[in-house]
Amino acid sequence: MLQRILTFFERYSFGVCTYLGERFNVSISKIRLFFIYSSFLAVGFPLIFYFFAGIVLDIRNYVKRVHTRVTDL
């Protein structure tokens, strides 16, 4: 049951922690823990950053997909 929940969140989340982990060569679980702990300390500010970064990454991936479709023509 726990594995199903983790798979669901990894599939439908924005992928911010994964992107940051690959970009800075840091463990993804450490970044997730950082967001969780800092959310308690900073009263939700990291969650706002997470959602903003997720939206930016989605727009960035959308632009890349559209650009590759246009150049394939």
Side-chain angles (χ1 to χ4, degrees):
M1 180 69 177
L2 181 63
Q3 188 61 32
R4 265 180 74 194
I5 294 171
L6 288 175
T7 305
F8 174 79
F9 280 114
E10 287 179 1
R11 182 179 300 152
Y12 294 110
S13 67
F14 292 118
V16 175
C17 294
T18 306
Y19 176 78
L20 291 174
E22 290 174 354
R23 179 87 173 167
F24 296 116
N25 198 19
V26 178
S27 173
I28 298 168
S29 61
K30 288 182 182 180
I31 294 174
R32 287 180 181 150
L33 285 175
F34 170 76
F35 273 113
I36 291 169
Y37 292 143
S38 61
S39 294
F40 289 122
L41 294 175
V43 192
F45 177 72
L47 292 177
I48 295 169
F49 169 76
Y50 184 87
F51 287 123
F52 179 72
I55 291 169
V56 169
L57 286 175
D58 280 347
I59 292 171
R60 185 176 179 198
N61 290 335
Y62 175 75
V63 169
K64 282 183 180 179
R65 277 186 274 146
V66 170
H67 180 66
T68 52
R69 282 193 305 205
V70 170
T71 56
D72 287 343
L73 297 176

